[in-house]
Amino acid sequence: MAETPVIDQAALSTVQSWVRAAGAIVVLTGAGISTDSGIPDFRGPNGVWTKNPKAERTSHIDHYVSDPEVRRLSWQQRLHHPAWEAEPNAGHQAIVELERQGKLLAVLTQNIDGLHEAAGTSPELLVELHGTMRDVVCMDCGERAPMQRALDRVRAGEEDPPCRTCGGMLKSATVSFGQSLDVDDLERADCAARAADLLVAVGTTLTVYPVADLPRIAQAAGARLVIVNGEPTAYDSRADAVLRGPICDILPALVDAS
Ligand code: ZN
């Protein structure tokens, strides 16, 4: 386990004053905000891909489409995913509090676990850039359906349940490597970044497009950039403030003071 860094109190109180003064906050979240809910991240010290680099390669869409074994394995992973048991944590709830205070412009998330909405973030403020694991989508006819209905079929013995409408291949409504992001979602994220007066990047290493671009877009449009993360990120040197430490402690501290 990495040592827990001591939160820089001077930086914390500076950012508290920025949050108090802000009127249009955009929060950008990655896997780090959900680790306290029991969902492992990808690239952190205990990350899924840090421990098993092969898992990153097999999450490419080409493997999913061409290899029935990858699909069978994927259904089993969905069935046993920790997200089904997970509850939103104090970090997710702090973002809901920002919305109650009327300061929240948007939550842009890389997470597919649905915990922002479960915490109470309004769907119209939420952009799930990598999709959601709570739905399935047919790769042939495009029909969407609740994931739990498909998982019921897996539990009943179907190893790779096909679309009930057209017989096509089903996949979680998430963006895999090799798949394009939703154009409308990208547009909403871009607009939010341009309109923000404060962008807070939480629990993301800011290495994956398009999230890696959004802090630059926001700063170019005049926003302050604050990074909240357990580990260094690609943007630390360009951020207006970096708060290193447990997200579950830092986010509530930022919000309660405003
Ligand atoms: Zn279909």
Side-chain angles (χ1 to χ4, degrees):
M1 286 291 285
E3 227 178 285
T4 307
V6 178
I7 301 167
D8 179 340
Q9 292 299 325
L12 185 67
S13 90
T14 302
V15 178
Q16 282 170 336
S17 72
W18 293 346
V19 171
R20 263 195 301 274
I25 301 176
V26 169
V27 185
L28 187 62
T29 67
I33 195 171
S34 291
T35 51
D36 280 328
S37 292
I39 300 174
D41 62 9
F42 299 101
R43 294 185 170 83
N46 295 304
V48 175
W49 295 336
T50 311
K51 285 181 167 172
N52 180 12
K54 229 165 89 181
E56 180 168 3
R57 289 199 291 279
T58 56
S59 53
H60 196 284
I61 188 66
D62 292 350
H63 293 281
Y64 189 83
V65 170
S66 64
D67 189 345
E69 186 55 36
V70 169
R71 290 199 297 279
R72 277 196 290 274
L73 199 65
S74 297
W75 284 110
Q76 287 303 311
Q77 285 167 348
R78 289 168 192 146
L79 197 57
H80 300 291
H81 198 285
W84 305 123
E85 307 289 322
E87 301 279 347
N89 62 53
H92 298 101
Q93 270 137 18
I95 297 169
V96 177
E97 178 55 29
L98 279 181
E99 181 177 343
R100 280 194 207 107
Q101 294 174 5
K103 292 173 178 293
L104 187 70
L105 190 63
V107 180
L108 315 177
T109 188
Q110 296 174 286
N111 298 341
I112 58 168
D113 55 36
L115 290 180
H116 284 298
E117 201 170 339
T121 293
S122 300
E124 60 270 23
L125 298 188
L126 182 63
V127 184
E128 293 176 309
L129 287 159
H130 293 176
T132 175
M133 59 176 286
R134 302 202 176 234
D135 287 334
V136 291
V137 65
C138 172
M139 297 186 70
D140 292 327
C141 75
E143 187 170 271
R144 278 176 88 106
M147 172 64 81
Q148 285 301 337
R149 277 209 323 246
L151 292 181
D152 285 343
R153 295 167 65 191
V154 177
R155 277 185 208 100
E158 289 184 66
E159 291 189 316
D160 181 18
C163 172
R164 282 240 157 105
T165 303
C166 78
M169 193 182 285
L170 290 182
K171 184 187 162 294
S172 64
T174 55
V175 181
S176 298
F177 287 107
Q179 282 190 297
S180 305
L181 279 82
D182 182 90
V183 176
D184 291 338
D185 286 346
L186 280 173
E187 176 72 20
R188 287 175 68 199
D190 189 72
C191 284
R194 284 175 206 282
D197 54 16
L198 179 64
L199 188 140
V200 186
V202 182
T204 165
T205 51
L206 298 168
T207 47
V208 181
Y209 174 86
V211 158
D213 262 354
L214 294 169
R216 184 188 54 75
I217 291 168
Q219 277 189 310
R224 282 197 174 107
L225 171 64
V226 174
I227 309 253
V228 181
N229 202 39
E231 285 94 43
T233 78
Y235 269 91
D236 285 5
S237 61
R238 286 191 268 167
D240 296 283
V242 178
L243 297 173
R244 185 105 59 239
I247 292 163
C248 266
D249 296 338
I250 295 174
L251 281 192
L254 289 182
V255 168
D256 289 344
S258 56

